[in-house]
Amino acid sequence: MKTKTNRKYLALLFLLITMPLIIFCTYILTMLVVSIFIYIKYGNFIFDRYDFYTAFKLAPLGLIAGIIIWFGECRRLGIKIFGK
């Protein structure tokens, strides 16, 4: 029983750290790829510092996504979050 409790909190910690990082990196990489394609086609590189600001604004959505994924994963594994 104790291992399920430890797994529950380790999974929550993992998701709350990694999901914002994944969203941040995905946005930055997507904008870089789009900028490279536009540079090849039109000669105008559109990636700038405002894309980093936008990525930092989108990263907290990873916290919400992490909690939702964590809740679903605990339900799938049969770990009761609230109570015994």
Side-chain angles (χ1 to χ4, degrees):
M1 193 68 155
K2 201 147 181 84
T3 59
K4 285 188 179 182
T5 303
N6 291 338
R7 283 191 341 209
K8 173 174 59 174
Y9 294 120
L10 285 176
L12 177 62
L13 182 64
F14 175 74
L15 287 172
L16 290 181
I17 292 172
T18 58
M19 287 304 291
L21 287 174
I22 288 171
I23 289 177
F24 177 80
C25 292
T26 303
Y27 182 80
I28 294 296
L29 289 175
T30 303
M31 287 306 296
L32 278 173
V33 169
V34 168
S35 294
I36 290 170
F37 285 144
I38 289 176
Y39 181 74
I40 290 170
K41 185 159 177 125
Y42 299 111
N44 188 11
F45 194 73
I46 62 169
F47 188 80
D48 61 353
R49 69 174 187 253
Y50 296 110
D51 292 323
F52 282 106
Y53 298 148
T54 306
F56 278 121
K57 289 178 185 177
L58 288 176
L61 294 177
L63 294 174
I64 297 167
I67 291 172
I68 292 170
I69 292 170
W70 173 70
F71 183 71
E73 197 63 22
C74 286
R75 293 220 19 166
R76 184 182 71 81
L77 294 174
I79 300 170
K80 295 183 180 174
I81 299 171
F82 308 110
K84 296 182 178 182

